[in-house]
Amino acid sequence: MKTLLLLLGVVVAVLVAGAAAFYLWASHEADRQLTSVVDTHVVTFPMPFPASAEDLAAAGVTADPDGRVALDRARERGRHLVSARYACADCHGANYGGGVMLDAFPMGRLLGPNLTTGRGSVVAGFTAADWDRAVRHGVRHDGRSSAMPAQDFQQMSDQELSDIVAYIQSLPPVDNEVPPSSYGPLGQVLLATHQLTPAADMIADHHHAHLVEPPPVSDPAFGAHLAATCMGCHGAELAGGPIQGGDPSWPPAANLTPYADGLAGWTYEQFASTLRTGTRPDGTALRAPMTLVMPYSTAMTDDEMHALWAYVASRPAVATP
Ligand code: HEC
Ligand code: HEC
């Protein structure tokens, strides 16, 4: 009996020591990933972009010597972009003074920092290159990898990013010191075992030139540009399937290609109505996380909705993975 107990004790001690050693390794490895410096290109673009001939005509002037027209137009476009396409406020807060991406022990606490000009701002003195690295590369100001989901924003053009900056900087300053983001034990183990990938590592090429401006609305490429924001969940081919890195309780993303269990037979009206009401043609309601997209899709213009549908409907039919 005594030998059996002793044996059991030894087994437990070995297991505990093994788990401790594994955790030590994982936390060290996660730390290595999060503190290594990511090499990116250094870009520059105007903030704001100068007024175009149409901007000047719309403002009823022939020149914009103090840049007022350019700034007003940039802010207007930026406001639309963050209302209809890019979900910055979901994590940085409705007033952009800070918000929550994830706060769940043992995963971690990923907080969206303060992007306003108030106390606690992380973007004070940011150049175009700093905004580019933060938003389109997932790289922090100090060169380290960040939890900012830049993989969803890498297709954004220089002008769109510049417009978003113009809009955010026009907002009232918020004084709020947001604590730095950190991963808990589970988050560290997932990072170390590559089941969780930092945004910067999901982006294959950190030196590839970005679009300067979005494609014109009349260009079929504009629809593809819009659909880039759907691909984080619906996949690069829009064929749907389980959402990578998503909440395990989420249903798989729907197949948006003209496949049998996809959007075969859908009309533009059905597509637009689904994205604007949250109810499918068969009367069923869309579930989370598609519901999180609704505030944005309801703010899309008719031109945007048409361009998006033209692209979606032109995709080859692909079976759901
Ligand atoms: C899903 C949540 C989420 C969304 C959406 C999001 N962010 Fe972030 N962002 C974060 C988190 C979390 C951090 C802090 C990451 C860290 O410190 O590791 C961050 C950091 C940043 C930073 C600071 C980088 C630095 O140098 O410290 C900027 C700038 C930024 N985000 C801008 C934006 C803009 C602009 C958008 C919209 C186009 C956006 N974010 C959308 C979660 C998000
Ligand atoms: C955050 C993840 C996510 C994003 C981003 C997203 N979707 Fe979805 N979408 C889903 C999920 C999950 C479903 C399935 C919902 C359900 O089964 O109730 C879905 C369902 C749909 C449906 C219903 C299709 C059907 O057959 O039921 C349409 C249409 C759709 N999405 C279009 C889009 C478009 C267009 C975009 C980009 C503007 C987009 N989605 C962005 C997750 C997402």
Side-chain angles (χ1 to χ4, degrees):
M1 187 65 192
K2 249 197 177 149
T3 2
L4 200 68
L5 273 181
L6 192 69
L7 202 68
L8 202 70
V10 170
V11 169
V12 168
V14 166
L15 284 178
V16 168
F22 174 69
Y23 174 65
L24 243 132
W25 166 81
S27 97
H28 183 79
E29 170 58 20
D31 204 49
R32 192 192 59 74
Q33 288 179 22
L34 297 173
T35 52
S36 61
V37 168
V38 185
D39 176 39
T40 65
H41 61 190
V42 176
V43 300
T44 187
F45 49 79
M47 298 198 295
F49 266 57
S52 67
E54 296 89 80
D55 295 338
L56 295 178
V61 293
T62 51
D64 184 26
D66 57 1
R68 198 65 235 170
V69 175
L71 191 58
D72 284 349
R73 279 294 293 131
R75 286 173 176 172
E76 257 173 67
R77 288 189 304 258
R79 177 210 291 277
H80 178 68
L81 290 171
V82 298
S83 312
R85 210 178 305 164
Y86 301 116
C88 320
D90 282 8
C91 302
H92 291 280
N95 61 9
Y96 293 84
V100 180
M101 171 170 165
L102 177 99
D103 189 359
F105 188 82
M107 258 316 271
R109 198 155 177 248
L110 306 181
L111 304 176
N114 184 347
L115 302 183
T116 72
T117 53
R119 189 163 42 77
S121 171
V122 292
V123 291
F126 259 40
T127 60
D130 296 327
W131 281 99
D132 167 55
R133 288 199 305 175
V135 178
R136 297 189 297 198
H137 298 273
V139 177
R140 293 156 49 102
H141 194 216
D142 61 9
R144 289 186 291 136
S145 181
S146 91
M148 167 68 202
Q151 73 280 7
D152 293 345
F153 303 120
Q154 47 177 325
Q155 313 281 357
M156 196 187 275
S157 66
D158 293 346
Q159 191 189 65
E160 288 163 307
L161 180 52
S162 178
D163 290 345
I164 291 172
V165 173
Y167 172 66
I168 296 176
Q169 289 183 338
S170 75
L171 298 172
V174 176
D175 293 334
N176 184 28
E177 310 267 0
V178 179
S181 292
S182 60
Y183 288 91
L186 178 61
Q188 291 174 333
V189 167
L190 293 179
L191 277 170
T193 55
H194 301 287
Q195 296 180 69
L196 191 70
T197 312
D201 294 343
M202 282 189 220
I203 296 172
D205 181 0
H206 287 290
H207 293 86
H208 184 81
H210 301 282
L211 281 181
V212 174
E213 287 170 28
V217 176
S218 56
D219 187 329
F222 183 63
H225 185 64
L226 297 181
T229 64
C230 318
M231 292 174 181
C233 294
H234 289 279
E237 294 183 306
L238 297 181
I243 298 174
Q244 300 300 320
D247 189 317
S249 71
W250 287 348
N255 187 337
L256 302 184
T257 76
Y259 190 69
D261 72 349
L263 303 192
W266 279 42
T267 62
Y268 166 73
E269 283 70 27
Q270 291 175 325
F271 177 76
S273 155
T274 304
L275 289 175
R276 285 178 171 152
T277 64
T279 306
R280 278 178 274 243
D282 67 4
T284 55
L286 292 175
R287 291 170 290 176
M290 189 56 204
T291 44
L292 305 177
V293 179
M294 297 298 305
Y296 298 92
S297 59
T298 49
M300 284 168 60
T301 64
D302 286 343
D303 281 349
E304 287 169 332
M305 193 64 88
H306 275 289
L308 182 58
W309 172 245
Y311 177 77
V312 169
S314 73
R315 294 297 81 207
V318 176
T320 317

